[in-house]
Structure formats: structure tokens, C-alpha cells
Amino acid sequence: MRMRSKRWTDQELANNPHVIKDAEEKKGHWAEYFGNDHPIYIEVGCGKGNFISKNAEKYPYINFIGIEKQHTIIGIAARKAGDLPNLALIETDAKDLNELFEVGEFQRIYLNFSDPWPKRRNYKRRLTYREFLVSYRALFGEKGEIFFKTDNRSLFEFSLEEFSADKWLLSHISLDLHHSPYAAENIMTEYEERFSSMGMPIYRLEARFGVEPDPMPSSAVLPAADEDTETPLAIQAAE
Amino acid sequence: MRMRSKRWTDQELANNPHVIKDAEEKKGHWAEYFGNDHPIYIEVGCGKGNFISKNAEKYPYINFIGIEKQHTIIGIAARKAGDLPNLALIETDAKDLNELFEVGEFQRIYLNFSDPWPKRRNYKRRLTYREFLVSYRALFGEKGEIFFKTDNRSLFEFSLEEFSADKWLLSHISLDLHHSPYAAENIMTEYEERFSSMGMPIYRLEARFGVEPDPMPSSAVLPAADEDTETPLAIQAAE
């Protein structure tokens, strides 16, 4: 989504302490910047910042860095950042991650409602295309994890294949996030709030490398999405 | 689905040449039985046989073996088998595959609308549970492939995770098979015809091991499901 530049955007981006102007100089020094060695989670394409600022509020012992290439949009995200010490924002492109981080400097990537690039000939631009996955993997180092959600069915199908082709371990998959066991913990993006209120399903997955699969599938651990499909414990015992 | 035994079932199963009575004795000798060394594809849970008999008709140079544990149901499948020389049916359970086949004796498994076992405590009974995948893998030998489809969202989510945990390579995924590029080639089961006519989505995937991933994702090769999302070639050229 593109927006016309708002009059206050330049001023907000210039003055807001969450917006990192010399981000390349922080490469290798993010722990120093945050003043602690907490894990760092980044959101590639943080949009207006609802997701990342709510996460930063909810999880004070995680540092969050939001990356967004659209000038006006990240201006809005900056306004929402309040006085959260564990939140930083960078106006840049996903392609530039190498210039912002040393290998192993962050532990998780969120990809929320990334551009689906629906035309076939553009598949290499999708942020879950295997060449992107390879580059994320290189930057993660020994292990890493990506939390991905989208409303776009084709992008989700494509992403499942790409993660699999690059040998990531898939788990915690939902084809209808808002009616799943993951809904309770889910923090929505602005786009997600609007889109899901129309009743359309949201798809999500977690992808990891460098770790062993859990011995139990997620669905055997999580509370059931629809308790109707479960027999109450009292009846189970009597069966 | 269980059905009352039909009066003609026993007779059909006794006399129909497609129904293999001494299946264990064919172990290691299936090529001999079919009289050729064509690939062998098996369907675990072939139900009333629509899918497998139509496949056998369409692909005469593949041998098909349908396995079904329900007596009356496989009787119906036997009736449909006509005079197809490349089709065999066995009344038995998925757990008995080891007793029917030598390692490497078949090349593909179809799992169509397998019982979802929706209660969490029953997850080990689902035919895509990782212990089943490990046993299929052992029986395939060096490489193998499973084609899976279901109308059950939770079973599909579970299966994606299980295939991934056991390191199968996922491809050709659709979350709405009947409105996907795979629809044209799709052969429906009886259950699928009834279910999809109600407008519910069918999920499908292919899972392989022992092969390298294709360098191109399926979605970059296949015709688009929804041509509306594609720009006509003439316009693309002008862009």
C-alpha cells in the first residue's frame, strides 16, 4: 500500500528517537545500542507498527527492530512507538539486512502480510522465495526461526514449498489463524485487523532450521481450536 | 464410513479376479503378478475404488494396488474394477504394508481422505503421523513419494508438520484443489465428489524424499489458478 507523504513525516522521522538514522553503523553493536543482551526479533515490513509496538510492550525482555521501506508508513509506526526502550525502527529494504546486522545478531524474523507479488514472473521478489531464505539463513548463523502470516493463499502455498525446499522445519501451522489455538496469543497488524474482519482466513506458520523437531506434533500439545471435536474428559475416561 | 455388509459382497470378493486373496504370497513378486515391470502405485484406503480404477484406466503403464480394510466397501471397489489388467485390490489394513511388499516394490502412495482422527489423544492413528511416515519411508527404500489430499483442515495442518518433521520435501501444495491448476488432472474419490459439491475446499500436497528440490517452485511453472491475477502477455510485454 502506498500513501501520500504526510506533512509531518519528515519531522517525525528526524526527531523520533526510535528511528535509527545511522543503522549501518549499529551493525554488530545492537546489544550496545539497547544496553542489554536480550534476544533481538526483527519484523521485515513492519508497516504502521501496530504489531511490533504491541509486541515490544508485551515482551519487555525482547528487543524488537522493525524495518519498513515506505517513508510515510514508517513515520506512522514511529508515532506509535511511545517510550518503549526495546523498540527500534529502520527505514530500509529487506534486501539490506546484511548491511544492518552481523551473523547471529538477531534470533527471529517476522514476515507479516508481505507483498504476494501475484504474477508468476515476479516470484523471485516474494520474501519467502528460496533465495531470500538462503540469505536469511546465512545471516542467522547456526539456527534461526521465521514466523510468517498472510491472507494470501497462493503466497502461503508458495511459502510452504519454499521453506520445505530449503529444508526448514515447519510447525505451528494454521490455515485459519483467528479460529485456531494460536488466536489467543496473536497480535494483529493493521492490515490483519481490517482483512480478518471481512471473515477471510489468515494463514500462519513457524519455520526453523538448526533445531531438532519436537517429538510431539503441535496439534497434540495445543488446546484444540474447536472443542466440539473433543470428547469431554469425563466421557473419555468412561469409554 | 461403515456400511452394512451387502449380500453379494462375499461372493464378489471371492470371485473377482482383481481381489488378491493370498496377497502376502505376492510379496516380492508383484511384477510377476502383473506380468511387467511397470511402476506400482498404491492407494492406502481406496474406499469404493473410484479414484484407483479411474487412474488404472487413464494410466495403463502404471500398476495400481488399492488397499481397503472395510469388507463391504472393497466389495464395491471390486465391482468397479472391470477388466483392467493393471489393477489389484487387497482387503487389509495400512499397518500390514510390510507383509505385502518388499522394500522398493512400489514407487508412490496415495492417501486420499484418510480418517482425520480428530481427537488429540488419537493423533498416532492418523496415517500421516511421523511413525507411519518413517515406516513408509523404510518400505520405499532409497526414494519415495506420497500424494495426499483431504477435506479436513486440521489433518492437513498436522500432516504438513509431520512431513516436515520427518524431512520430506513438500511441493505442489494447494489449499483449494478444485480451484487450482491441479484441478484439470485431478481424479476424484466418491467422498470428494460429494464433499466438494458442497463448496468446501480440498487440500492437497505431494511429499517426497530421496530427491533434490526442483530449482523452480511449482507456482512458477504451473498455469495460474486464477488468470485474473495475471497480466495478459501482451500487456506484460508493453510494461
Side-chain angles (χ1 to χ4, degrees), chain B residues 182-211:
Chain B
Y182 310 105
E185 291 289 304
N186 184 46
I187 293 177
M188 286 199 250
T189 73
E190 288 83 357
Y191 179 88
E192 185 175 3
E193 280 178 4
R194 209 171 57 244
F195 192 84
S196 71
S197 68
M198 293 155 63
M200 307 297 278
I202 306 293
Y203 309 96
R204 69 96 68 186
L205 62 80
E206 297 173 19
R208 289 179 176 77
F209 75 91
V211 294

PDB file of all heavy atoms in Angstrom, chain B residues 182-211:
ATOM      1  N   TYR B 182      -4.170 -27.731 -10.388  1.00  0.00           N
ATOM      2  CA  TYR B 182      -4.154 -29.188 -10.320  1.00  0.00           C
ATOM      3  C   TYR B 182      -5.532 -29.796 -10.604  1.00  0.00           C
ATOM      4  O   TYR B 182      -5.667 -31.008 -10.737  1.00  0.00           O
ATOM      5  CB  TYR B 182      -3.680 -29.649  -8.933  1.00  0.00           C
ATOM      6  CG  TYR B 182      -2.407 -28.972  -8.494  1.00  0.00           C
ATOM      7  CD1 TYR B 182      -2.426 -27.968  -7.536  1.00  0.00           C
ATOM      8  CD2 TYR B 182      -1.197 -29.311  -9.077  1.00  0.00           C
ATOM      9  CE1 TYR B 182      -1.259 -27.317  -7.147  1.00  0.00           C
ATOM     10  CE2 TYR B 182      -0.026 -28.668  -8.695  1.00  0.00           C
ATOM     11  CZ  TYR B 182      -0.071 -27.673  -7.733  1.00  0.00           C
ATOM     12  OH  TYR B 182       1.080 -27.036  -7.370  1.00  0.00           O
ATOM     13  N   ALA B 183      -6.546 -28.943 -10.669  1.00  0.00           N
ATOM     14  CA  ALA B 183      -7.920 -29.439 -10.826  1.00  0.00           C
ATOM     15  C   ALA B 183      -8.098 -30.213 -12.132  1.00  0.00           C
ATOM     16  O   ALA B 183      -8.795 -31.226 -12.180  1.00  0.00           O
ATOM     17  CB  ALA B 183      -8.909 -28.279 -10.750  1.00  0.00           C
ATOM     18  N   ALA B 184      -7.450 -29.743 -13.195  1.00  0.00           N
ATOM     19  CA  ALA B 184      -7.657 -30.346 -14.512  1.00  0.00           C
ATOM     20  C   ALA B 184      -7.281 -31.828 -14.533  1.00  0.00           C
ATOM     21  O   ALA B 184      -7.974 -32.641 -15.151  1.00  0.00           O
ATOM     22  CB  ALA B 184      -6.846 -29.585 -15.566  1.00  0.00           C
ATOM     23  N   GLU B 185      -6.213 -32.167 -13.834  1.00  0.00           N
ATOM     24  CA  GLU B 185      -5.721 -33.548 -13.826  1.00  0.00           C
ATOM     25  C   GLU B 185      -6.292 -34.369 -12.675  1.00  0.00           C
ATOM     26  O   GLU B 185      -6.042 -35.568 -12.579  1.00  0.00           O
ATOM     27  CB  GLU B 185      -4.184 -33.548 -13.698  1.00  0.00           C
ATOM     28  CG  GLU B 185      -3.444 -33.024 -14.903  1.00  0.00           C
ATOM     29  CD  GLU B 185      -3.526 -33.989 -16.081  1.00  0.00           C
ATOM     30  OE1 GLU B 185      -3.147 -35.153 -15.915  1.00  0.00           O
ATOM     31  OE2 GLU B 185      -4.002 -33.564 -17.154  1.00  0.00           O
ATOM     32  N   ASN B 186      -7.020 -33.714 -11.791  1.00  0.00           N
ATOM     33  CA  ASN B 186      -7.459 -34.379 -10.562  1.00  0.00           C
ATOM     34  C   ASN B 186      -8.523 -35.439 -10.822  1.00  0.00           C
ATOM     35  O   ASN B 186      -9.491 -35.199 -11.531  1.00  0.00           O
ATOM     36  CB  ASN B 186      -8.022 -33.330  -9.598  1.00  0.00           C
ATOM     37  CG  ASN B 186      -8.423 -33.912  -8.258  1.00  0.00           C
ATOM     38  OD1 ASN B 186      -7.669 -34.690  -7.672  1.00  0.00           O
ATOM     39  ND2 ASN B 186      -9.614 -33.565  -7.787  1.00  0.00           N
ATOM     40  N   ILE B 187      -8.326 -36.608 -10.256  1.00  0.00           N
ATOM     41  CA  ILE B 187      -9.343 -37.659 -10.288  1.00  0.00           C
ATOM     42  C   ILE B 187      -9.952 -37.726  -8.892  1.00  0.00           C
ATOM     43  O   ILE B 187      -9.241 -37.849  -7.901  1.00  0.00           O
ATOM     44  CB  ILE B 187      -8.726 -39.016 -10.699  1.00  0.00           C
ATOM     45  CG1 ILE B 187      -8.268 -38.931 -12.162  1.00  0.00           C
ATOM     46  CG2 ILE B 187      -9.738 -40.156 -10.518  1.00  0.00           C
ATOM     47  CD1 ILE B 187      -7.580 -40.181 -12.679  1.00  0.00           C
ATOM     48  N   MET B 188     -11.284 -37.619  -8.839  1.00  0.00           N
ATOM     49  CA  MET B 188     -11.949 -37.521  -7.540  1.00  0.00           C
ATOM     50  C   MET B 188     -12.301 -38.882  -6.961  1.00  0.00           C
ATOM     51  O   MET B 188     -12.588 -39.826  -7.689  1.00  0.00           O
ATOM     52  CB  MET B 188     -13.223 -36.686  -7.673  1.00  0.00           C
ATOM     53  CG  MET B 188     -12.950 -35.199  -7.817  1.00  0.00           C
ATOM     54  SD  MET B 188     -14.414 -34.220  -7.433  1.00  0.00           S
ATOM     55  CE  MET B 188     -14.808 -33.636  -9.081  1.00  0.00           C
ATOM     56  N   THR B 189     -12.306 -38.934  -5.641  1.00  0.00           N
ATOM     57  CA  THR B 189     -12.868 -40.092  -4.941  1.00  0.00           C
ATOM     58  C   THR B 189     -14.381 -39.859  -4.797  1.00  0.00           C
ATOM     59  O   THR B 189     -14.869 -38.746  -5.007  1.00  0.00           O
ATOM     60  CB  THR B 189     -12.263 -40.254  -3.533  1.00  0.00           C
ATOM     61  OG1 THR B 189     -12.781 -39.231  -2.682  1.00  0.00           O
ATOM     62  CG2 THR B 189     -10.738 -40.166  -3.577  1.00  0.00           C
ATOM     63  N   GLU B 190     -15.100 -40.896  -4.407  1.00  0.00           N
ATOM     64  CA  GLU B 190     -16.549 -40.752  -4.186  1.00  0.00           C
ATOM     65  C   GLU B 190     -16.821 -39.686  -3.119  1.00  0.00           C
ATOM     66  O   GLU B 190     -17.683 -38.831  -3.279  1.00  0.00           O
ATOM     67  CB  GLU B 190     -17.168 -42.083  -3.704  1.00  0.00           C
ATOM     68  CG  GLU B 190     -17.267 -43.162  -4.746  1.00  0.00           C
ATOM     69  CD  GLU B 190     -15.960 -43.941  -4.900  1.00  0.00           C
ATOM     70  OE1 GLU B 190     -14.951 -43.609  -4.236  1.00  0.00           O
ATOM     71  OE2 GLU B 190     -15.946 -44.883  -5.713  1.00  0.00           O
ATOM     72  N   TYR B 191     -16.081 -39.781  -2.058  1.00  0.00           N
ATOM     73  CA  TYR B 191     -16.226 -38.854  -0.931  1.00  0.00           C
ATOM     74  C   TYR B 191     -15.966 -37.423  -1.388  1.00  0.00           C
ATOM     75  O   TYR B 191     -16.698 -36.493  -1.035  1.00  0.00           O
ATOM     76  CB  TYR B 191     -15.220 -39.265   0.155  1.00  0.00           C
ATOM     77  CG  TYR B 191     -15.236 -38.396   1.380  1.00  0.00           C
ATOM     78  CD1 TYR B 191     -16.093 -38.661   2.441  1.00  0.00           C
ATOM     79  CD2 TYR B 191     -14.376 -37.300   1.482  1.00  0.00           C
ATOM     80  CE1 TYR B 191     -16.101 -37.867   3.564  1.00  0.00           C
ATOM     81  CE2 TYR B 191     -14.380 -36.499   2.601  1.00  0.00           C
ATOM     82  CZ  TYR B 191     -15.242 -36.781   3.642  1.00  0.00           C
ATOM     83  OH  TYR B 191     -15.242 -35.987   4.748  1.00  0.00           O
ATOM     84  N   GLU B 192     -14.920 -37.260  -2.183  1.00  0.00           N
ATOM     85  CA  GLU B 192     -14.528 -35.938  -2.676  1.00  0.00           C
ATOM     86  C   GLU B 192     -15.617 -35.321  -3.551  1.00  0.00           C
ATOM     87  O   GLU B 192     -15.906 -34.132  -3.450  1.00  0.00           O
ATOM     88  CB  GLU B 192     -13.230 -36.099  -3.486  1.00  0.00           C
ATOM     89  CG  GLU B 192     -12.609 -34.806  -3.984  1.00  0.00           C
ATOM     90  CD  GLU B 192     -11.254 -35.070  -4.662  1.00  0.00           C
ATOM     91  OE1 GLU B 192     -10.867 -36.262  -4.767  1.00  0.00           O
ATOM     92  OE2 GLU B 192     -10.607 -34.101  -5.077  1.00  0.00           O
ATOM     93  N   GLU B 193     -16.235 -36.131  -4.393  1.00  0.00           N
ATOM     94  CA  GLU B 193     -17.317 -35.618  -5.251  1.00  0.00           C
ATOM     95  C   GLU B 193     -18.460 -35.070  -4.419  1.00  0.00           C
ATOM     96  O   GLU B 193     -18.976 -33.997  -4.669  1.00  0.00           O
ATOM     97  CB  GLU B 193     -17.845 -36.728  -6.176  1.00  0.00           C
ATOM     98  CG  GLU B 193     -16.961 -36.935  -7.382  1.00  0.00           C
ATOM     99  CD  GLU B 193     -17.437 -38.073  -8.284  1.00  0.00           C
ATOM    100  OE1 GLU B 193     -18.512 -38.655  -8.012  1.00  0.00           O
ATOM    101  OE2 GLU B 193     -16.714 -38.373  -9.244  1.00  0.00           O
ATOM    102  N   ARG B 194     -18.814 -35.825  -3.389  1.00  0.00           N
ATOM    103  CA  ARG B 194     -19.932 -35.403  -2.553  1.00  0.00           C
ATOM    104  C   ARG B 194     -19.553 -34.164  -1.738  1.00  0.00           C
ATOM    105  O   ARG B 194     -20.294 -33.196  -1.662  1.00  0.00           O
ATOM    106  CB  ARG B 194     -20.307 -36.542  -1.598  1.00  0.00           C
ATOM    107  CG  ARG B 194     -21.764 -36.542  -1.220  1.00  0.00           C
ATOM    108  CD  ARG B 194     -22.155 -37.804  -0.451  1.00  0.00           C
ATOM    109  NE  ARG B 194     -21.372 -38.007   0.741  1.00  0.00           N
ATOM    110  CZ  ARG B 194     -20.558 -39.036   0.946  1.00  0.00           C
ATOM    111  NH1 ARG B 194     -20.397 -39.966   0.022  1.00  0.00           N
ATOM    112  NH2 ARG B 194     -19.897 -39.154   2.082  1.00  0.00           N
ATOM    113  N   PHE B 195     -18.362 -34.205  -1.197  1.00  0.00           N
ATOM    114  CA  PHE B 195     -17.946 -33.147  -0.286  1.00  0.00           C
ATOM    115  C   PHE B 195     -17.701 -31.830  -1.017  1.00  0.00           C
ATOM    116  O   PHE B 195     -18.119 -30.764  -0.571  1.00  0.00           O
ATOM    117  CB  PHE B 195     -16.671 -33.586   0.453  1.00  0.00           C
ATOM    118  CG  PHE B 195     -16.334 -32.689   1.592  1.00  0.00           C
ATOM    119  CD1 PHE B 195     -16.924 -32.880   2.830  1.00  0.00           C
ATOM    120  CD2 PHE B 195     -15.469 -31.625   1.425  1.00  0.00           C
ATOM    121  CE1 PHE B 195     -16.638 -32.045   3.889  1.00  0.00           C
ATOM    122  CE2 PHE B 195     -15.177 -30.779   2.482  1.00  0.00           C
ATOM    123  CZ  PHE B 195     -15.764 -30.985   3.715  1.00  0.00           C
ATOM    124  N   SER B 196     -17.018 -31.929  -2.155  1.00  0.00           N
ATOM    125  CA  SER B 196     -16.647 -30.688  -2.838  1.00  0.00           C
ATOM    126  C   SER B 196     -17.864 -30.038  -3.491  1.00  0.00           C
ATOM    127  O   SER B 196     -17.878 -28.831  -3.712  1.00  0.00           O
ATOM    128  CB  SER B 196     -15.557 -30.943  -3.862  1.00  0.00           C
ATOM    129  OG  SER B 196     -16.091 -31.651  -4.942  1.00  0.00           O
ATOM    130  N   SER B 197     -18.898 -30.837  -3.765  1.00  0.00           N
ATOM    131  CA  SER B 197     -20.111 -30.239  -4.339  1.00  0.00           C
ATOM    132  C   SER B 197     -20.781 -29.322  -3.321  1.00  0.00           C
ATOM    133  O   SER B 197     -21.617 -28.493  -3.655  1.00  0.00           O
ATOM    134  CB  SER B 197     -21.082 -31.327  -4.808  1.00  0.00           C
ATOM    135  OG  SER B 197     -21.603 -32.021  -3.691  1.00  0.00           O
ATOM    136  N   MET B 198     -20.400 -29.453  -2.061  1.00  0.00           N
ATOM    137  CA  MET B 198     -20.908 -28.554  -1.018  1.00  0.00           C
ATOM    138  C   MET B 198     -20.071 -27.272  -0.944  1.00  0.00           C
ATOM    139  O   MET B 198     -20.321 -26.411  -0.085  1.00  0.00           O
ATOM    140  CB  MET B 198     -20.875 -29.262   0.339  1.00  0.00           C
ATOM    141  CG  MET B 198     -21.856 -30.435   0.439  1.00  0.00           C
ATOM    142  SD  MET B 198     -21.315 -31.674   1.673  1.00  0.00           S
ATOM    143  CE  MET B 198     -21.370 -30.669   3.176  1.00  0.00           C
ATOM    144  N   GLY B 199     -19.076 -27.155  -1.797  1.00  0.00           N
ATOM    145  CA  GLY B 199     -18.302 -25.914  -1.875  1.00  0.00           C
ATOM    146  C   GLY B 199     -17.164 -25.804  -0.875  1.00  0.00           C
ATOM    147  O   GLY B 199     -16.562 -24.738  -0.727  1.00  0.00           O
ATOM    148  N   MET B 200     -16.874 -26.894  -0.176  1.00  0.00           N
ATOM    149  CA  MET B 200     -15.784 -26.855   0.803  1.00  0.00           C
ATOM    150  C   MET B 200     -14.451 -27.112   0.096  1.00  0.00           C
ATOM    151  O   MET B 200     -14.400 -27.874  -0.862  1.00  0.00           O
ATOM    152  CB  MET B 200     -16.002 -27.932   1.875  1.00  0.00           C
ATOM    153  CG  MET B 200     -17.359 -27.872   2.543  1.00  0.00           C
ATOM    154  SD  MET B 200     -17.608 -26.330   3.452  1.00  0.00           S
ATOM    155  CE  MET B 200     -16.752 -26.716   4.982  1.00  0.00           C
ATOM    156  N   PRO B 201     -13.370 -26.474   0.581  1.00  0.00           N
ATOM    157  CA  PRO B 201     -12.081 -26.668  -0.088  1.00  0.00           C
ATOM    158  C   PRO B 201     -11.480 -28.047   0.173  1.00  0.00           C
ATOM    159  O   PRO B 201     -11.691 -28.639   1.225  1.00  0.00           O
ATOM    160  CB  PRO B 201     -11.198 -25.576   0.522  1.00  0.00           C
ATOM    161  CG  PRO B 201     -11.779 -25.318   1.864  1.00  0.00           C
ATOM    162  CD  PRO B 201     -13.260 -25.553   1.721  1.00  0.00           C
ATOM    163  N   ILE B 202     -10.734 -28.517  -0.801  1.00  0.00           N
ATOM    164  CA  ILE B 202      -9.950 -29.743  -0.660  1.00  0.00           C
ATOM    165  C   ILE B 202      -8.476 -29.332  -0.625  1.00  0.00           C
ATOM    166  O   ILE B 202      -8.042 -28.519  -1.440  1.00  0.00           O
ATOM    167  CB  ILE B 202     -10.190 -30.698  -1.859  1.00  0.00           C
ATOM    168  CG1 ILE B 202     -11.681 -30.992  -2.060  1.00  0.00           C
ATOM    169  CG2 ILE B 202      -9.371 -31.984  -1.700  1.00  0.00           C
ATOM    170  CD1 ILE B 202     -12.331 -31.782  -0.963  1.00  0.00           C
ATOM    171  N   TYR B 203      -7.746 -29.877   0.332  1.00  0.00           N
ATOM    172  CA  TYR B 203      -6.321 -29.590   0.481  1.00  0.00           C
ATOM    173  C   TYR B 203      -5.512 -30.724  -0.143  1.00  0.00           C
ATOM    174  O   TYR B 203      -5.911 -31.875  -0.038  1.00  0.00           O
ATOM    175  CB  TYR B 203      -5.959 -29.476   1.965  1.00  0.00           C
ATOM    176  CG  TYR B 203      -6.857 -28.528   2.734  1.00  0.00           C
ATOM    177  CD1 TYR B 203      -7.952 -28.994   3.454  1.00  0.00           C
ATOM    178  CD2 TYR B 203      -6.631 -27.156   2.702  1.00  0.00           C
ATOM    179  CE1 TYR B 203      -8.791 -28.123   4.139  1.00  0.00           C
ATOM    180  CE2 TYR B 203      -7.455 -26.276   3.386  1.00  0.00           C
ATOM    181  CZ  TYR B 203      -8.536 -26.768   4.103  1.00  0.00           C
ATOM    182  OH  TYR B 203      -9.363 -25.904   4.782  1.00  0.00           O
ATOM    183  N   ARG B 204      -4.380 -30.406  -0.758  1.00  0.00           N
ATOM    184  CA  ARG B 204      -3.537 -31.462  -1.310  1.00  0.00           C
ATOM    185  C   ARG B 204      -2.066 -31.078  -1.246  1.00  0.00           C
ATOM    186  O   ARG B 204      -1.719 -29.888  -1.188  1.00  0.00           O
ATOM    187  CB  ARG B 204      -3.954 -31.804  -2.748  1.00  0.00           C
ATOM    188  CG  ARG B 204      -3.669 -30.741  -3.790  1.00  0.00           C
ATOM    189  CD  ARG B 204      -2.377 -30.963  -4.533  1.00  0.00           C
ATOM    190  NE  ARG B 204      -2.438 -32.141  -5.375  1.00  0.00           N
ATOM    191  CZ  ARG B 204      -1.407 -32.628  -6.034  1.00  0.00           C
ATOM    192  NH1 ARG B 204      -0.217 -32.034  -5.927  1.00  0.00           N
ATOM    193  NH2 ARG B 204      -1.518 -33.675  -6.787  1.00  0.00           N
ATOM    194  N   LEU B 205      -1.239 -32.075  -1.262  1.00  0.00           N
ATOM    195  CA  LEU B 205       0.207 -31.859  -1.333  1.00  0.00           C
ATOM    196  C   LEU B 205       0.867 -33.090  -1.919  1.00  0.00           C
ATOM    197  O   LEU B 205       0.275 -34.171  -1.993  1.00  0.00           O
ATOM    198  CB  LEU B 205       0.794 -31.559   0.056  1.00  0.00           C
ATOM    199  CG  LEU B 205       0.699 -32.617   1.160  1.00  0.00           C
ATOM    200  CD1 LEU B 205       1.775 -33.714   1.016  1.00  0.00           C
ATOM    201  CD2 LEU B 205       0.884 -31.960   2.526  1.00  0.00           C
ATOM    202  N   GLU B 206       2.104 -32.901  -2.363  1.00  0.00           N
ATOM    203  CA  GLU B 206       2.979 -34.014  -2.704  1.00  0.00           C
ATOM    204  C   GLU B 206       4.175 -33.946  -1.761  1.00  0.00           C
ATOM    205  O   GLU B 206       4.680 -32.864  -1.473  1.00  0.00           O
ATOM    206  CB  GLU B 206       3.447 -33.908  -4.164  1.00  0.00           C
ATOM    207  CG  GLU B 206       2.288 -34.011  -5.132  1.00  0.00           C
ATOM    208  CD  GLU B 206       2.666 -33.741  -6.589  1.00  0.00           C
ATOM    209  OE1 GLU B 206       3.869 -33.823  -6.944  1.00  0.00           O
ATOM    210  OE2 GLU B 206       1.756 -33.432  -7.374  1.00  0.00           O
ATOM    211  N   ALA B 207       4.600 -35.095  -1.281  1.00  0.00           N
ATOM    212  CA  ALA B 207       5.751 -35.165  -0.370  1.00  0.00           C
ATOM    213  C   ALA B 207       6.714 -36.218  -0.898  1.00  0.00           C
ATOM    214  O   ALA B 207       6.290 -37.295  -1.310  1.00  0.00           O
ATOM    215  CB  ALA B 207       5.285 -35.533   1.040  1.00  0.00           C
ATOM    216  N   ARG B 208       7.983 -35.864  -0.926  1.00  0.00           N
ATOM    217  CA  ARG B 208       8.994 -36.795  -1.455  1.00  0.00           C
ATOM    218  C   ARG B 208      10.204 -36.852  -0.540  1.00  0.00           C
ATOM    219  O   ARG B 208      10.487 -35.915   0.192  1.00  0.00           O
ATOM    220  CB  ARG B 208       9.474 -36.326  -2.841  1.00  0.00           C
ATOM    221  CG  ARG B 208       8.436 -36.495  -3.917  1.00  0.00           C
ATOM    222  CD  ARG B 208       8.915 -35.991  -5.283  1.00  0.00           C
ATOM    223  NE  ARG B 208       7.905 -36.277  -6.295  1.00  0.00           N
ATOM    224  CZ  ARG B 208       6.787 -35.589  -6.461  1.00  0.00           C
ATOM    225  NH1 ARG B 208       6.531 -34.530  -5.712  1.00  0.00           N
ATOM    226  NH2 ARG B 208       5.902 -35.945  -7.382  1.00  0.00           N
ATOM    227  N   PHE B 209      10.925 -37.959  -0.626  1.00  0.00           N
ATOM    228  CA  PHE B 209      12.258 -37.985  -0.019  1.00  0.00           C
ATOM    229  C   PHE B 209      13.187 -38.681  -1.010  1.00  0.00           C
ATOM    230  O   PHE B 209      12.735 -39.369  -1.927  1.00  0.00           O
ATOM    231  CB  PHE B 209      12.249 -38.687   1.347  1.00  0.00           C
ATOM    232  CG  PHE B 209      12.135 -40.175   1.242  1.00  0.00           C
ATOM    233  CD1 PHE B 209      13.273 -40.971   1.171  1.00  0.00           C
ATOM    234  CD2 PHE B 209      10.899 -40.782   1.188  1.00  0.00           C
ATOM    235  CE1 PHE B 209      13.185 -42.353   1.050  1.00  0.00           C
ATOM    236  CE2 PHE B 209      10.793 -42.162   1.072  1.00  0.00           C
ATOM    237  CZ  PHE B 209      11.931 -42.944   1.004  1.00  0.00           C
ATOM    238  N   GLY B 210      14.479 -38.448  -0.814  1.00  0.00           N
ATOM    239  CA  GLY B 210      15.467 -39.082  -1.691  1.00  0.00           C
ATOM    240  C   GLY B 210      15.623 -38.391  -3.029  1.00  0.00           C
ATOM    241  O   GLY B 210      16.251 -38.934  -3.945  1.00  0.00           O
ATOM    242  N   VAL B 211      15.056 -37.203  -3.169  1.00  0.00           N
ATOM    243  CA  VAL B 211      15.186 -36.438  -4.412  1.00  0.00           C
ATOM    244  C   VAL B 211      15.606 -35.008  -4.059  1.00  0.00           C
ATOM    245  O   VAL B 211      15.398 -34.545  -2.939  1.00  0.00           O
ATOM    246  CB  VAL B 211      13.857 -36.377  -5.208  1.00  0.00           C
ATOM    247  CG1 VAL B 211      13.472 -37.761  -5.695  1.00  0.00           C
ATOM    248  CG2 VAL B 211      12.739 -35.782  -4.346  1.00  0.00           C
TER     249      VAL B 211
END
